[in-house]
Amino acid sequence: MTTAPEAPATPRLKTSAMIASIAEPGQRTAPAPFGHALSRLAAENPAIVGLSADLAKYTDMHIFAKNHPERFFQMGMAEALMLGAAAGMAETGLIPFASTYSVFATRRAYDFLCLDIAEPNLNVNVVGALPGLTTGYGPSHQATEDLAMLRAMPNLTIVDPCDSIDIEQAVPQLAATDGPTYLRLLRGHVPTVLDEYDYTFQLGKAAELRTGRDVSFISTGLMTMRALAAADRLAADGIDVAVTHVPTIKPLDHAAIARAAAGGRLVVTLENHTIIGGLADAVATSLIYNTAGTTTRSVPAIQRIGLPDEFLGTGALPTLHERYGLSIDAIVRSVHNWLG
Amino acid sequence: MTQTLDRSTRVTELAAAADRIRHHVLTMGEVQGQGYVGQGLGFADVLAVVYKDLAHYRPEDPEWAGRDRVLLSMGHYAIALYAALAEAGILGTQELDTYGSDDSRLPMSAMSTYTPGMEISGGSLGHGLGIAVGMALGLRFQANPARIINLMSDGELDEGSTWEAAMAAAHHGLGNLICVVDMNGLQADGPTRGVLRIEPVEAKWEAFGWRTVRVDGNDIAALTAAFDSVPADDTRPAVVVCDTRIGRGVPFLEGREKAHFMRIDEHEWALAHAALHDAAEKEH
């Protein structure tokens, strides 16, 4: 039943394999920044423990498991159990980091995250890999609405890091925060970008990474590195773009948002998430309902770059990022369109 | 349906079908150079029996209301089910070359909106049996004699939702429901026995009220006997627990260490096809 071998005349079709790199060709990366940061923190703090729901190898938790095997707890492919157990561990005084894919931590185990962890305000740190559109594997693994779900959950701190620097610096601060946190994890070889800017991750703070007269990008997560690259491209076209990075989605840095939206510039939000209920909505409501730190009375024109309100397709990640407007090229095109 | 044939002819034909399914799995795996190839090879015998011997369907009309519903709860086995759907005549073999590629109807994870014959969207595990319970209740309510065959993996026994559904199926006396568990002993983080101990598996299902049979899932004769032993029943659902071997039929893949999501080097595909061919020749 074997077929005759054929000459490979056509190039290999693009793959929708689950784990795809978000790094651009040639970009500097750091391996498993979360796993290494958690291991270093655990060496200093004996209360740190790690849990996995059969995805340690795919959430960089395996690094911690290897370095601190006595403090790693494999709960099996049982996400509700994992979050319940993490709550129980926190009740005994430990500081758990519980990792799985974002879809399973949020969609699947929402009630356990909400009632077991958030309501008693426990220091449980939930780490969700493959946030937003970071896999072409299809809606089963694409957590495109996790921010929308979690922003409504009281007590929960939500962090959407840009790169390896953000992740490494966030981990100790999440552990030191006396309440639950959710980290949108970039895993594997994670780009290193923010060391080229005068930037330090501070929980709850946004940071202006570059200034600009014409356009103000307000971005979170991996979209900040795309925003920075797009700003460089637009500068070559004579368009001066500011970039404000918002790594903490909740609580939101309202003063920084107000500053980023001031000056009569076109304001553009960029996020790796559906345009419903994520950064775009958070920025818009911040500008309407919060006037702290600004004298602006009118809300500026805001455009949104984010994922559409639909279940996304499967395919190669670069193909999908281009299709849904998250690629650097697509950002540049959008800005040109909006500026006319 | 070949049940009127004598047993040895039946087994021979099913074994040939299983070999063709394995061949299709390798063909698709080669398109991407990687994938859940080990599961596809290991589960091929079960799929051959399900599609060529057990399930009623019309290949030219995959939506036929009277069909037995075959649910792929473990959506990452899509490569295996596409191979079986090709063997069943529901998909053309040419289309298998598009597996996992942009704009293909055959994504790497199973999607019911993409693929004819794919009853549910899987990928998030532990969903199939709950949907199966609803289908079994719905079809019975409508006096439709079709059965539900829910295919699931041993890893899904970790998920609480599986056991909620198992309890409901027995409570409602869903004798039109057959569950097939692929016990390949391997999960994402490593061997199942190290991730979360699930044995004794038959005793768990029995305690939940199911008719239970455990079988070597790579032994076609034993599989046909196992499925024959659990005909439709008015009072109890049935589970067939199948012990399978990852990479079955291609010896050098059977022992591969990183077998859950298998990467296979460029030069190995021809060797894999040849090994599969040799093994099939030896058996027949």
Side-chain angles (χ1 to χ4, degrees), chain A residues 103 132-133 142-147 184 272-274 307 310 312:
Chain A
V103 279
L133 179 54
Q142 290 161 345
T144 55
E145 80 288 38
D146 57 334
L147 295 178
R184 292 184 108 203
N272 169 34
H273 183 269
T274 164
L307 299 167
E310 61 189 69
L312 306 182

Side-chain angles (χ1 to χ4, degrees), chain A residues 1 12-17 54-57 74 77-79 104 108 137 139-141 313-316 319 323, chain B residues 23 32 34 36 76 100-103 108-109 111 114 122-125 127 155 158-159 161 187-189 195 266 277:
Chain A
M1 279 312 299
R12 178 160 292 179
L13 294 159
K14 287 182 172 179
T15 177
S16 58
D54 191 28
L55 283 174
K57 285 184 191 170
Q74 174 64 266
M77 192 171 62
E79 296 77 12
F104 307 137
R108 185 176 203 109
Y137 202 64
S140 65
H141 286 63
T314 74
T319 305
R323 182 185 303 167
Chain B
H23 165 74
Q32 297 294 347
Q34 59 187 359
Y36 295 97
H76 58 300
S101 304
D102 285 353
D103 303 320
M108 287 184 91
S109 186
M111 303 268 289
Y114 280 48
S124 184
L125 295 164
H127 285 245
D158 291 0
E159 294 284 6
S161 54
Q187 295 187 223
D189 273 343
V195 172
E266 202 95 27
H277 186 72

Side-chain angles (χ1 to χ4, degrees), chain B residues 123-210:
Chain B
S124 184
L125 295 164
H127 285 245
L129 196 56
I131 300 170
V133 165
M135 283 182 174
L137 285 166
L139 292 175
R140 188 175 68 179
F141 178 71
Q142 294 164 73
N144 184 330
R147 287 173 302 175
I148 316 300
I149 302 159
N150 179 64
L151 310 176
M152 64 181 290
S153 63
D154 48 1
E156 298 192 85
L157 299 178
D158 291 0
E159 294 284 6
S161 54
T162 294
W163 298 107
E164 296 170 22
M167 197 148 39
H171 173 81
H172 290 288
L174 299 177
N176 55 347
L177 172 57
I178 299 176
C179 189
V180 179
V181 186
D182 180 30
M183 300 283 290
N184 63 33
L186 195 63
Q187 295 187 223
D189 273 343
T192 297
R193 64 179 182 277
V195 172
L196 196 67
R197 191 173 61 247
I198 55 178
E199 297 287 1
V201 171
E202 306 105 285
K204 286 188 173 74
W205 287 97
E206 278 163 16
F208 275 69
W210 288 58

